[in-house]
Amino acid sequence: MRVVAQHVSTGLLGTFLLVTSGRTRRIESLVSQRTAELADASARLIAKQAILTHAERIARLGSWETQPATGKTYWSAELFHILGVPPDQAAGVDRLLAAIHPDDRETLRAALNTVGNGGAATSVDVRLPERDGSSPIVHVSIEATRGADGVETLRGTLQDISERRAAEAHIHYLAHYDTLTGLPNRSLWASRASQALAFARRHQLKLAVLFLDLDNFKTINDTLGHPVGDRLLSSAAGRLSACLRDEDVLARIGGDEFVILLPKLNRSDDAAVVARKLLESLTQPFDIDGQELTVSTSIGIAVYPGNGSDIDVLLKHADTAMYGAKNEGRNDFRFFTPDMNSRVFARLKLENALRRAIERNELILEYQPQWEMPEQRLIGVEALVRWEHPERGRVTPLEFIPVAEESGLIHAIGDHVLRTACLQQAAWHAAGLRPVTIAVNISALQFRRQGFLERVRRIIDETGADPKGLDLELTESALMQPGPEIEAQLASLREMGFGLALDDFGTGYSSLAYLKRIPLTHLKIDRSFVQDLPGDAEDAAIATATLSIARDLGLAVIAEGVETPAQRDFLLTRQCRVMQGYLLSPPLPATAITQLLRDDQVGGPAARPP
Ligand SMILES: Nc1nc2c(ncn2[C@@H]2O[C@H](COP(=O)(O)O[C@H]3[C@@H](O)[C@H](n4cnc5c(=O)[nH]c(N)nc54)O[C@@H]3COP(=O)(O)O)[C@@H](O)[C@H]2O)c(=O)[nH]1
């Protein structure tokens, strides 16, 4: 029995053991299955957490959660990072508030309290304390989960939006400011001007709009290059700005155009006071990269309510008045008057007529003789363009050359003048007349334009003219800052045989240094230095010095604008051998020069320095 019992008991145990071990295995298998599932879930959770952490880092967005009842708090890794709080420091609402800029803490506290006390979800933008010179801006969103006893969980996100804000600010800046000068642009100016106008209308105040355009800026820009032009513009903007009050609005609205709003004006004349200050501010030369540059401005003024009742009209009238100031000598201001509209129209009409004049060959040349003295031997002529306008009669180049330069027509006119002078040389040669030099004026814009040399070559080839009998008269502005390209162009012209005369010497941006570097053949004493000779001591000194410099540099000199025997005699005593002016002869048609040459077949062109 014992054995049986034993057997039985062994059997039971065995059975039990068998059963137990079977269950155990199942349990084990279940446990290991569950463990694997848990490990898998945990791995997936970790992976998801990693993705979330990654996403938060990329978005510069941290998240947080806090249970007011238990004080349990969670901060994501990115939240610690954005707030600059070490990850081992206790994280909670107080810590969050402490990490905010002291001036913005109350804003966030109020938002947290609102949501914590049952208010709707909200968000605020607050700053963090300054780091690396700026205060990051964070956008904090707050919401709550509520239970029966009120708020159970307060949670939210905090995102660093500094870059977005900076980008928005930059876009705003680009849309409203001029990047070169930092001044408001046309759009911002117009919106401020409209507000000011509404205020002026309500309070029956006056308001002025000033339109400024820098004089000769285009020449400086085209001749010295855009980087120099840009620096000049921004320096000029600085000076203009310094003349104004805080409430005035200065804007740059185009290349060299500025507008100013004077919003609170007692009397119209106050605008004139400001205009005078602005003109005065530009009188001192600018030092741009070590070179002295001078620029002036012309100013047009329109006043509300007299000259218009909306900003567009006031601006248009100020622009028109600015043209008035330009036409009447520049470097000055003019108030708008209704008759100016017709003047601007006239200027546009002139430009159109000039365009047609070129096509219709209305531009002709006269030639002013140049004489070797004291024998008064004709040795050259200066070609001067004339416009025979079908209705207006003769239009002076003083009127149309500036229009041609502003409109770009100067290039076509310049080519026409050079071609006509070349053909005239060929005609005099063909007629068997003795050769005289023909001097041709070249505008600075024409000379500095890409391809000038090629155009000159083409004209010479087409006309068969001899450059040895041609002088190109260049102004000082054409030769300002002669870089290697300009020097090479001048050298090529000299190699071709052209003479190179510096016109109006002493009136512009004279630099004796470049006289040495560029291959000039002549200097022309400007008639402004001749007209008061011999009485004016300063003019006498300038004329004498010019002659002396030219002699030392081996250059020929032509005195222009000689109108009186006293001027002629003074210049003769200073060894000036070549003269031009009304005393000797006005500019004449080609036929008259032909006659002069026929009458005197013994002269010859002035000897040029080698
Ligand atoms: N780029 C070009 N400019 C040109 C061309 N033709 C003329 N011009 C420039 O126009 C300005 C005015 O010229 P104009 O009315 O022809 O006057 C010239 C002479 O008539 C005048 N002159 C000559 N002698 C006297 C005088 O004794 N007294 C006096 N008051 N005026 C006199 O001077 C002008 C010549 O000046 P300049 O060229 O400096 O030698 C003038 O700036 C012309 O340059 C052209 O084809 N292209």
Side-chain angles (χ1 to χ4, degrees):
M1 262 320 274
R2 204 168 49 85
V3 169
V4 170
Q6 199 179 5
H7 176 79
V8 167
S9 84
T10 308
L12 277 172
L13 182 65
T15 306
F16 173 76
L17 282 174
L18 264 175
V19 169
T20 311
S21 70
R23 253 193 214 147
T24 306
R25 273 201 300 280
R26 253 203 354 262
I27 289 168
E28 270 175 7
S29 132
L30 271 172
V31 166
S32 73
Q33 191 185 330
R34 289 285 177 274
T35 308
E37 281 172 9
L38 271 176
D40 190 35
S42 162
R44 270 184 284 139
L45 201 64
I46 290 171
K48 276 194 178 145
Q49 182 62 45
I51 290 171
L52 192 65
T53 307
H54 236 71
E56 287 202 354
R57 191 174 51 72
I58 291 168
R60 306 273 296 133
L61 178 142
S63 54
W64 54 274
E65 203 172 289
T66 189
Q67 293 175 353
T70 61
K72 266 194 185 169
T73 294
Y74 162 79
W75 275 22
S76 73
E78 188 57 21
L79 189 67
F80 281 100
H81 182 240
I82 295 172
L83 296 178
V85 174
D88 54 356
Q89 277 196 14
V93 168
D94 288 344
R95 192 69 196 81
L96 179 63
L97 286 167
I100 301 301
H101 193 290
D103 294 347
D104 291 358
R105 248 172 235 159
E106 263 325 297
T107 308
L108 180 57
R109 195 193 307 279
L112 287 164
N113 286 343
T114 306
V115 182
N117 291 330
T122 188
S123 62
V124 284
D125 290 351
V126 287
R127 286 165 301 160
L128 302 185
E130 188 178 315
R131 53 174 98 138
D132 303 331
S134 70
S135 295
I137 300 168
V138 292
H139 179 75
V140 188
S141 303
I142 312 158
E143 62 176 44
T145 313
R146 291 182 179 83
D149 299 331
V151 169
E152 282 176 352
T153 307
L154 207 54
R155 68 168 63 82
T157 56
L158 180 147
Q159 187 171 25
D160 184 342
I161 55 166
S162 312
E163 278 180 17
R164 194 205 305 162
R165 277 295 179 82
E168 282 166 6
H170 189 57
I171 289 167
H172 181 270
Y173 183 83
L174 292 179
H176 295 93
Y177 289 87
D178 164 45
T179 46
L180 178 67
T181 58
L183 294 175
N185 64 11
R186 181 189 282 264
S187 133
L188 180 59
W189 184 87
S191 104
R192 297 218 181 135
S194 297
Q195 286 165 13
L197 188 64
F199 186 87
R201 198 173 283 132
R202 271 198 310 277
H203 297 87
Q204 294 177 342
L205 296 171
K206 283 185 195 300
L207 166 154
V209 171
L210 277 62
F211 198 112
L212 286 76
D213 184 287
L214 299 185
D215 303 323
N216 300 324
F217 176 76
K218 189 169 161 36
T219 309
I220 293 177
N221 211 29
D222 289 351
T223 53
L224 295 185
H226 290 219
V228 171
D230 283 355
R231 282 197 283 283
L232 181 62
L233 272 179
S234 79
S235 305
R239 291 218 196 147
L240 297 175
S241 182
C243 300
L244 302 173
R245 293 184 183 161
D246 285 349
E247 71 249 31
D248 303 336
V249 189
L250 166 66
R252 177 171 168 247
I253 59 164
D256 58 351
E257 289 174 345
F258 296 84
V259 283
I260 296 172
L261 172 78
L262 305 178
K264 288 177 191 158
L265 217 59
N266 292 325
R267 300 166 306 132
S268 301
D269 281 354
D270 291 351
V273 174
V274 177
R276 274 189 208 100
K277 258 169 78 178
L278 294 164
L279 293 169
E280 175 68 26
S281 76
L282 297 182
T283 50
Q284 290 301 313
F286 291 86
D287 182 346
I288 308 288
D289 296 342
Q291 56 186 322
E292 280 197 353
L293 295 178
T294 313
V295 74
S296 60
T297 184
S298 300
I299 305 176
I301 306 173
V303 179
Y304 169 82
N307 300 148
S309 55
D310 76 60
I311 286 300
D312 285 346
V313 171
L314 288 166
L315 199 58
K316 196 174 108 213
H317 286 170
D319 185 12
T320 303
M322 183 279 294
Y323 267 108
K326 275 233 191 278
N327 282 342
E328 288 163 40
R330 306 177 173 213
N331 193 20
D332 208 345
F333 68 90
R334 290 285 178 277
F335 280 94
F336 173 77
T337 55
D339 74 306
M340 282 177 172
N341 268 329
S342 50
R343 272 187 261 166
V344 169
F345 180 67
R347 154 76 175 73
L348 281 175
K349 229 171 113 183
L350 187 72
E351 185 182 322
N352 284 334
L354 187 54
R355 214 175 285 278
R356 276 198 309 277
I358 299 168
E359 292 156 13
R360 294 179 188 172
N361 258 332
E362 288 167 16
L363 298 178
I364 53 156
L365 295 193
E366 280 193 339
Y367 299 87
Q368 184 169 34
Q370 296 173 334
W371 309 89
E372 192 167 57
M373 305 297 284
E375 304 81 6
Q376 200 164 327
R377 190 171 64 104
L378 180 65
I379 56 164
V381 291
E382 179 181 358
L384 295 161
V385 68
R386 304 288 178 246
W387 180 7
E388 296 293 354
H389 192 288
E391 291 144 31
R392 289 178 55 185
R394 188 165 275 200
V395 184
T396 160
L398 286 174
E399 190 180 347
F400 71 81
I401 291 286
V403 175
E405 289 185 331
E406 276 170 35
S407 59
L409 292 172
I410 191 67
H411 304 292
I413 294 177
D415 285 357
H416 170 75
V417 169
L418 182 60
R419 180 174 283 107
T420 310
C422 287
L423 290 171
Q424 189 60 63
Q425 184 201 56
W428 282 331
H429 179 73
L433 299 171
R434 72 176 171 84
V436 286
T437 313
I438 305 180
V440 177
N441 286 283
I442 306 290
S443 143
L445 294 178
Q446 205 186 335
F447 181 70
R448 292 264 180 170
R449 194 193 197 192
Q450 196 90 30
F452 172 75
L453 197 59
E454 287 68 41
R455 289 160 85 108
V456 170
R457 275 210 181 95
R458 202 168 49 240
I459 291 170
I460 292 296
D461 289 348
E462 284 167 8
T463 56
D466 178 6
K468 290 198 187 71
L470 293 164
D471 285 348
L472 302 183
E473 288 197 5
L474 302 162
T475 54
E476 292 185 343
S477 57
L479 300 177
M480 256 192 305
Q481 287 284 305
E485 277 173 34
I486 292 296
E487 287 185 17
Q489 181 160 300
L490 289 164
S492 300
L493 290 168
R494 278 297 288 130
E495 271 164 32
M496 288 168 74
F498 285 101
L500 298 175
L502 182 52
D503 206 359
D504 310 337
F505 180 67
T507 57
Y509 301 87
S510 311
S511 159
L512 293 179
Y514 69 60
L515 280 189
K516 222 173 57 177
R517 294 216 320 268
I518 56 180
L520 287 175
T521 51
H522 300 65
L523 290 186
K524 289 192 83 174
I525 303 179
D526 188 64
R527 69 171 182 275
S528 62
F529 300 126
V530 172
Q531 67 189 6
D532 293 328
L533 291 178
D536 187 295
E538 280 177 13
D539 286 349
I542 289 170
T544 308
T546 306
L547 283 158
S548 153
I549 290 167
R551 221 178 351 260
D552 291 348
L553 292 173
L555 304 175
V557 176
I558 302 173
E560 59 182 0
V562 179
E563 291 180 344
T564 66
Q567 290 164 353
R568 177 198 59 200
D569 295 344
F570 174 88
L571 288 162
L572 277 173
T573 60
R574 298 295 190 279
Q575 276 81 51
C576 179
R577 296 291 312 278
V578 185
M579 298 182 202
Q580 171 184 348
Y582 294 165
L583 175 71
L584 305 161
S585 168
L588 299 169
T591 47
I593 301 290
T594 307
Q595 197 52 53
L596 275 178
L597 288 171
R598 285 220 168 97
D599 293 348
D600 163 27
Q601 280 287 357
V602 291
R608 278 203 198 121

